[in-house]
């Protein structure tokens, strides 16, 4: 008996059936499940002596080309007559469809549909992704941790901080090494965190040498207990470039404090073009090009993603020979406009903070207005391999070639995906475009994600598809499938294109439409 099978009271294939328990064979764990109980993943259960998929099959009915409403399959004991929206634009997603296991079995549903005179086939399966991860983009200028720092959930290493992008901090989480290459606790914590993130639940992540961040797809991050509000408008240099004209004639000097590039208007090209006078200012930092300074401070939770709370700490002595004079005015502002202060030089050329003048308020508000809301974006990234591709065609590499050749359109729960160039089928999907609760797991551990492949019927046959398994949407609605649990779905509508039409249009645009 395998270790997992033992843990979940399961048995290896071929072993004798345990009294009144029946075996689920939808994944390698092979749980034996008692009446009215569910297996280790809670996705399958024993209902009346039959293994059923416990979540409802989700069928999309697209009310318009760009609007997708989720339509329930049917209440128990009913069949759905398709009249709820009645657009005829239905799409059987893989959510609740069940899994192809072992590899040679055809996918749970292979659905035919005629669209604009073309016979299309959609192959529908819930893929078990042992090789998968989550990329998190956190729109904030707060420093959350150094690059490559370990990210932990439940105290276990589940990923790392990767390269920050413009105004965003990025995390790379999961992957097969954390899922199965470490301890059991690490694998479980990784799987739990990825599952929650993909199903749009909040997850607390602790970064070694950095911040504690609560990440939830589609929501602002909470960093060290503080709900973030804004993503910066740009780096300090870009901010100077964008708003230099707003400050002209209102103030003698402007410094935009930023963790990456701090900008100084009198030295910056934007100021020079406008005829800005030298001010004799001295910035303590590494000068890059005129008016642009790197490393004015360590990164942190202070002004502009730096660690400073007093912006004057980045200024050196003012130089009278280079233009400094008593009474000179100075605006210091962060890249989000959240922090700002106004100073005037005294007789000894020391900046003294003064009440913030009304004349500058509009320009600071403009910086704030140009910021975007702080936000967490979660992308599921997975490599579709073995059982998944074999469930579509007897010759799996044909599916890969067909996806790469754009004759097959891939969706996750009806949501469009980005397929990476190169070998294999490595896809990314924004989890907020996937109906809620679409992701599951198996305790191997691995994530389960819905995946659909839509293509012309003749292409499907040509790539070695299971032609004898093709069924109409109506037949699926009327008769269900091997494991189908006909219960009501509850997911919310999403704005995704209707996959069959999207496939036809893309194929036509790429000259693949015939
Ligand atoms: S873990 Fe889930 S899918 Fe796998 S055998 Fe058990 S109940 Fe079935």
């Amino acid at each position: 008996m395998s270790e997992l099978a033992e843990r979940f009271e399961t048995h290896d294939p071929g072993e004798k059936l345990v009294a009144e328990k029946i075996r689920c064979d939808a994944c390698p764990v092979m749980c034996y499940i008692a009446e009215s109980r569910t297996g280790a993943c809670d996705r399958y259960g024993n209902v009346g002596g039959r293994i059923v998929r416990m979540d409802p099959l989700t069928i999309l009915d697209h009310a318009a080309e760009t609007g997708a409403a989720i339509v329930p399959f049917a209440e128990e004991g009913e069949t759905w007559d398709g009249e709820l929206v009645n657009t005829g634009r239905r799409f059987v997603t893989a959510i609740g469809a069940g899994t192809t296991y072992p590899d040679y079995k055809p996918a749970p549903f292979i659905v035919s549909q005629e669209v604009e005179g073309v016979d299309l086939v959609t192959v529908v399966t819930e893929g078990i992704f042992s090789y998968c991860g989550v990329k998190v983009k956190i729109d904030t200028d707060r420093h959350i941790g150094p690059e490559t720092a370990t990210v932990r959930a439940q105290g276990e290493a589940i990923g790392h901080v990767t390269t920050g992008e413009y105004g965003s901090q990025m995390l790379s989480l999961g992957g097969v090494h954390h899922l199965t290459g470490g301890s059991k606790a690490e694998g479980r914590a990784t799987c739990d965190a990825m599952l929650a993130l993909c199903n749009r639940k909040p997850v607390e992540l602790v970064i070694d040498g950095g911040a504690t961040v609560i990440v939830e797809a589609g929501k602002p991050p909470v960093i060290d207990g503080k709900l973030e509000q804004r993503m910066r408008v740009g780096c300090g240099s870009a901010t100077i470039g964008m708003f230099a004209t707003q400050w002209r004639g209102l103030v003698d000097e402007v410094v935009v404090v930023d963790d990456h590039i701090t900008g100084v208007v009198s030295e910056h090209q934007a100021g020079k073009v406008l005829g800005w006078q030298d001010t004799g200012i001295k910035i303590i930092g590494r000068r890059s090009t005129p008016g642009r300074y790197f490393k004015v401070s360590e990164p942190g939770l202070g002004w502009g993603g730096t660690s400073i709370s007093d912006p004057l700490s980045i200024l050196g002595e003012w130089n009278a020979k280079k233009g400094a004079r008593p009474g000179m005015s100075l605006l210091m502002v962060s890249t989000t406009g959240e922090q700002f202060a106004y100073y005037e030089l005294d007789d000894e050329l020391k900046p003294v903070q003064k009440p913030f003048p009304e004349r500058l308020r509009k320009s600071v508000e403009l910086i704030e207005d140009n910021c975007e809301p702080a936000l967490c974006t979660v992308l599921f990234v997975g490599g579709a391999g073995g059982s998944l591709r074999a469930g579509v065609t007897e010759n799996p590499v044909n599916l890969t070639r067909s996806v790469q050749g754009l004759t097959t359109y891939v969706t996750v729960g009806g949501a469009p995906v980005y397929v990476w160039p190169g070998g294999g089928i490595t896809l990314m999907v924004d989890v907020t475009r996937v109906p809620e609760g679409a992701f599951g797991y198996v305790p191997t551990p691995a994530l389960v994600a819905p995946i659909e492949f839509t293509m012309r019927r003749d292409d499907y046959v040509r790539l070695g598809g299971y032609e004898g398994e093709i069924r109409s949407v109506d037949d699926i609605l009327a008769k269900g499938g091997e494991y189908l649990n006909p219960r009501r779905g509850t997911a919310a509508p999403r704005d995704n294109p209707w996959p069959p039409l999207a496939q036809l249009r893309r194929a036509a645009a790429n000259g693949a439409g015939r």
Side-chain angles (χ1 to χ4, degrees):
M1 187 184 295
S2 74
E3 196 185 334
L4 272 174
E6 201 172 348
R7 181 144 43 102
F8 297 106
E9 291 186 39
T10 66
H11 293 243
D12 283 341
E15 282 189 78
K16 219 165 144 264
L17 195 77
V18 175
E20 83 270 357
K21 289 184 179 177
I22 51 175
R23 193 182 74 190
C24 173
D25 60 3
C27 94
V29 177
M30 300 278 182
C31 301
Y32 271 86
I33 309 174
E35 168 66 34
S36 305
R37 302 285 293 274
T38 56
C41 67
D42 288 334
R43 295 164 56 239
Y44 290 85
N46 177 345
V47 179
R50 179 174 163 238
I51 294 287
V52 297
R53 179 74 177 84
M54 298 308 290
D55 299 302
L57 175 69
T58 300
I59 308 223
L60 303 173
D61 195 321
H62 288 242
E65 189 186 334
T66 54
I70 302 290
V71 169
F73 179 73
E75 291 288 6
E76 201 148 6
E78 297 174 1
T79 52
W80 176 50
D81 61 7
E83 293 301 312
L84 284 170
V85 180
N86 199 25
T87 64
R89 286 189 168 181
R90 291 169 301 187
F91 183 70
V92 178
T93 74
I95 304 166
T99 303
T100 301
Y101 190 80
D103 293 5
Y104 57 78
K105 266 170 62 175
F109 295 110
I110 302 174
V111 190
S112 69
Q113 204 165 20
E114 191 187 299
V115 178
E116 298 191 345
V118 179
D119 279 340
L120 293 176
V121 167
T122 301
V123 184
V124 163
T125 187
E126 287 181 301
I128 299 177
F129 287 84
S130 302
Y131 296 83
C132 70
V134 161
K135 307 290 180 224
V136 179
K137 173 172 174 275
I138 304 173
D139 299 335
T140 176
D141 68 340
R142 300 278 174 256
H143 175 74
I144 57 172
E147 224 169 81
T148 75
T150 298
V151 178
R152 295 179 191 276
Q154 302 172 44
E156 298 291 337
I158 67 157
H160 61 272
V161 178
T162 185
T163 48
E165 308 304 343
Y166 202 92
S168 306
Q169 314 290 336
M170 310 285 283
L171 306 179
S172 179
L173 307 179
V176 72
H177 295 299
H178 287 296
L179 270 174
T180 60
S183 67
K184 282 184 196 161
E186 179 177 334
R188 271 199 294 273
T190 302
C191 190
D192 286 356
M194 284 204 295
L195 180 63
L197 286 168
C198 288
N199 282 333
R200 290 184 256 159
K201 303 268 189 326
V203 174
E204 184 177 281
L205 302 171
V206 179
I207 297 164
D208 284 3
T212 297
V213 187
I214 297 174
V215 171
E216 183 177 353
K219 299 273 172 64
V222 178
I223 301 178
D224 283 344
K226 184 169 171 286
L227 184 72
E228 288 301 308
Q229 303 290 339
R230 291 189 185 84
M231 171 191 191
R232 67 182 186 169
V233 62
C235 68
S237 169
T239 308
I240 292 278
M242 282 185 271
F243 302 114
T245 53
Q246 311 283 332
W247 295 313
R248 198 172 166 212
L250 299 181
V251 64
D252 296 314
E253 184 63 281
V254 180
V255 176
V256 181
V257 181
D258 179 31
D259 170 37
H260 302 129
I261 306 173
T262 289
V264 180
V265 73
S266 65
E267 299 176 0
H268 194 279
Q269 183 65 8
K272 290 287 176 218
V273 169
L274 293 171
W276 218 285
Q277 296 298 306
D278 289 342
T279 61
I281 193 169
K282 164 88 178 149
I283 301 287
I284 302 169
R286 183 152 63 83
R287 189 169 178 270
S288 163
T289 52
R292 300 168 76 250
Y293 292 84
F294 298 148
K295 289 185 96 58
V296 295
S297 146
E298 290 305 311
L301 302 180
W303 280 53
T306 67
S307 61
I308 61 172
S309 53
D310 176 10
L312 294 182
S313 65
I314 67 168
L315 300 188
E317 295 293 316
W318 291 72
N319 189 340
K321 291 187 187 143
K322 292 189 178 168
R325 56 185 161 71
M328 187 171 270
S329 56
L330 166 68
L331 166 66
M332 298 192 81
V333 62
S334 69
T335 41
T336 56
E338 286 168 293
Q339 296 102 346
F340 53 89
Y342 174 78
Y343 306 87
E344 287 177 5
L345 298 190
D346 64 12
D347 291 342
E348 289 167 6
L349 301 182
K350 302 273 183 235
V352 178
Q353 187 162 5
K354 302 275 175 165
F356 199 80
E358 279 308 308
R359 67 178 191 278
L360 292 176
R361 201 163 292 281
K362 194 166 149 246
S363 68
V364 170
E365 285 169 1
L366 197 60
I367 294 176
E368 282 195 86
D369 288 348
N370 273 271
C371 292
E372 289 165 85
L375 187 72
C376 298
T377 305
V378 175
L379 298 188
F380 168 78
V381 187
S387 60
L388 206 154
R389 288 183 302 158
V392 181
T393 162
E394 287 164 344
N395 193 359
V397 76
N398 282 348
L399 178 66
T400 310
R401 290 175 184 147
S402 165
V403 169
Q404 297 292 358
L406 305 181
T407 49
T408 293
Y409 185 71
V410 187
T411 47
V412 167
V417 306
Y418 175 77
V419 178
W420 282 70
I425 303 172
T426 305
L427 57 88
M428 293 202 297
V429 64
D430 175 355
V431 302
T432 62
R433 300 188 74 173
V434 181
E436 278 176 44
F439 291 84
Y441 82 104
V442 291
T444 51
L447 236 58
V448 177
I451 187 163
E452 304 96 19
F453 300 93
T454 300
M455 68 206 89
R456 294 172 63 111
R457 187 186 179 118
D458 49 5
D459 284 331
Y460 183 57
V461 173
R462 204 171 299 123
L463 64 79
Y466 301 96
E467 193 177 7
E469 303 289 331
I470 297 175
R471 299 167 61 191
S472 68
V473 180
D474 289 338
D475 185 57
I476 288 163
L477 287 168
K479 297 186 193 142
E482 188 182 356
Y483 297 117
L484 192 63
N485 181 23
R487 289 190 303 128
R488 184 169 286 276
T490 54
R494 296 282 140 213
D495 291 335
N496 291 327
W498 190 43
L501 202 54
Q503 162 58 6
L504 280 185
R505 295 208 167 137
R506 191 186 60 164
N510 286 282
R514 290 179 290 271

